[in-house]
Amino acid sequence: NGVNTPHTLDQVLHDNTTDQVQVQATCNTTEWSTPLTFTTKCDARNDFPITYGFETSEGFQTGVSSYSYAPTTNNLGNCWRNQATSSNGSNTSRLWCTATTHHDGSQSLMLPDKGSTGMYNTTLLAFPPMNFTSENGYHVSFWINLDGSSTTAEGFKVYASNTDTIDDNAEELGQYSRNYGQAYPNIESVSGWYNYDFYIPQATITGTVYLIFEGQSYYGNATYVDDITIEEAPSCFPVGTLTYDQESVTPFAANLSWGLVDNTQSAWRITYATNAELTENMHAITVTSHENYTLSGLTPETHYYVAVCADCGPSIGDGASSNVIDFTTGIACQKPTDLALVVEE
């Protein structure tokens, strides 16, 4: 009452809410302006860990049973930007939606099949905004259903952006194909649900951040994603996959290597023992090399189990342990065989 134009409504509004406003001159108490309807933006979430199982209990709509029933209007909610960004062939207006195919629970997120043979379509899905403030960065994990062995990379690319679109400042974080025969990110041997994850370092992006899936559709099948979690990364990062060189295994040593999640890591703890729980005849050493490290001082003809973790010092502690590998050392002294007598005449 008694305000001037322009006027900012900044005290009575809530995020993600559709409101209607009218104005009336103070000198006329009967005539109102034409109503104006608008929807406020969504607040950036900071209630980590943030999880999406795409269930009706989370407020999502009941999933469709097939990509042929995928909607052409966004039904994931006002805080999700869901848009067909390139269109070729038929059914190009289909959008991301919930579906009854699932990993856990009863629903998942689906990128529907769309287009015709040889046609390529993209469908952008920007998640609700988040507030990234952790100096450790963030960790994202999800499950994807790999159900084909086609040569196409049908699936989606992942971006992080300060806007809800893929602009010049968006950071590409990875590519994931629904086809298990494609190295996006790994070639798998059979179809099924697979768990993948990645890290977003603090140096990559901060502030208001949108996680964006850019769906890539050819003519094939739908892509299903489930149980997405976004959480603050730990102070001490885990390591990548631990492997060993089978040809390097001798009676007394074996060559190990493991990947890096964070390039600032400089020390690692190797634990090895004679049982899978790493408790029997256990030894632990700290090393400063992560590639082709030779684990020596082993006992011949012994089956070993080995794991590695980042050593971040006494003030922080160790990171999560890697996968456990196992191998058997060779025989130290080979027993002679095929002894034969040669008589010289």
Side-chain angles (χ1 to χ4, degrees):
N1 186 21
V3 298
N4 297 321
T5 181
H7 176 70
T8 300
L9 295 172
D10 57 357
Q11 296 179 341
V12 296
L13 302 180
H14 301 281
D15 80 304
N16 188 28
T17 303
T18 299
D19 292 287
Q20 188 177 86
V21 62
Q22 291 177 275
V23 295
Q24 181 188 58
T26 57
C27 60
N28 185 338
T29 60
T30 58
E31 296 294 328
W32 288 90
S33 68
T34 302
L36 175 67
T37 301
F38 61 92
T39 300
T40 54
K41 293 184 177 180
C42 298
D43 282 342
R45 296 186 62 177
N46 59 7
D47 54 329
F48 300 100
I50 297 171
T51 60
Y52 295 107
F54 304 99
E55 304 294 331
T56 55
S57 59
E58 301 171 47
F60 291 99
Q61 293 193 15
T62 300
V64 298
S65 59
S66 168
Y67 59 75
S68 60
Y69 300 113
T72 56
T73 58
N74 177 34
N75 69 356
L76 294 176
N78 292 334
C79 295
W80 300 73
R81 182 183 177 191
N82 192 2
Q83 179 183 359
T85 46
S86 70
S87 302
N88 297 284
S90 59
N91 301 313
T92 58
S93 57
R94 291 173 179 168
L95 299 176
W96 292 85
C97 62
T98 53
T100 53
T101 297
H102 59 88
H103 167 255
D104 197 10
S106 58
Q107 297 193 161
S108 70
L109 176 68
M110 179 183 72
L111 170 67
D113 177 38
K114 52 200 294 186
S116 304
T117 302
M119 296 297 182
Y120 174 69
N121 296 271
T122 58
T123 311
L124 182 147
L125 180 67
F127 285 59
M130 299 170 287
N131 188 21
F132 276 15
T133 59
S134 172
E135 62 181 15
N136 299 324
Y138 291 82
H139 173 236
V140 180
S141 66
F142 61 90
W143 290 82
I144 180 173
N145 186 32
L146 307 185
D147 66 347
S149 57
S150 170
T151 57
T152 67
E154 193 169 47
F156 58 93
K157 290 183 177 180
V158 180
Y159 296 84
S161 176
N162 291 126
T163 65
D164 64 353
T165 190
I166 304 172
D167 54 22
D168 291 339
N169 296 318
E171 295 284 345
E172 184 174 342
L173 303 173
Q175 182 173 355
Y176 300 88
S177 173
R178 70 165 186 85
N179 293 304
Y180 62 81
Q182 292 294 303
Y184 297 103
N186 302 323
I187 294 177
E188 308 290 358
S189 58
V190 295
S191 61
W193 285 92
Y194 289 84
N195 181 229
Y196 295 121
D197 67 340
F198 58 86
Y199 286 84
I200 307 175
Q202 190 267 349
T204 300
I205 193 167
T206 58
T208 300
V209 175
Y210 295 83
L211 184 67
I212 299 175
F213 285 3
E214 184 187 43
Q216 299 175 310
S217 301
Y218 295 87
Y219 181 75
N221 204 347
T223 300
Y224 299 94
V225 188
D226 205 359
D227 301 323
I228 301 172
T229 299
I230 306 106
E231 59 188 344
E232 294 183 4
S235 299
C236 190
F237 281 77
V239 298
T241 303
L242 172 65
T243 61
Y244 74 97
D245 180 4
Q246 189 171 5
E247 293 184 357
S248 74
V249 178
T250 70
F252 304 99
N255 287 349
L256 312 176
S257 62
W258 53 93
L260 296 184
V261 170
D262 178 45
N263 289 328
T264 64
Q265 296 170 338
S266 59
W268 298 270
R269 187 183 309 281
I270 299 174
T271 302
Y272 59 101
T274 54
N275 68 327
E277 293 73 28
L278 301 175
T279 56
E280 297 177 5
N281 303 305
M282 188 272 289
H283 299 271
I285 57 173
T286 298
V287 301
T288 57
S289 173
H290 72 281
E291 200 167 3
N292 297 325
Y293 177 81
T294 300
L295 182 64
S296 58
L298 304 179
T299 302
E301 301 180 67
T302 304
H303 196 76
Y304 283 100
Y305 296 84
V306 186
V308 65
C309 66
D311 182 351
C312 295
S315 62
I316 297 178
D318 294 342
S321 180
S322 72
N323 56 302
V324 177
I325 62 172
D326 64 292
F327 55 84
T328 302
T329 52
I331 300 173
C333 184
Q334 294 286 348
K335 178 182 177 181
T337 59
D338 299 327
L339 178 63
L341 176 65
V342 178
V343 178
E344 294 185 358
E345 297 182 0

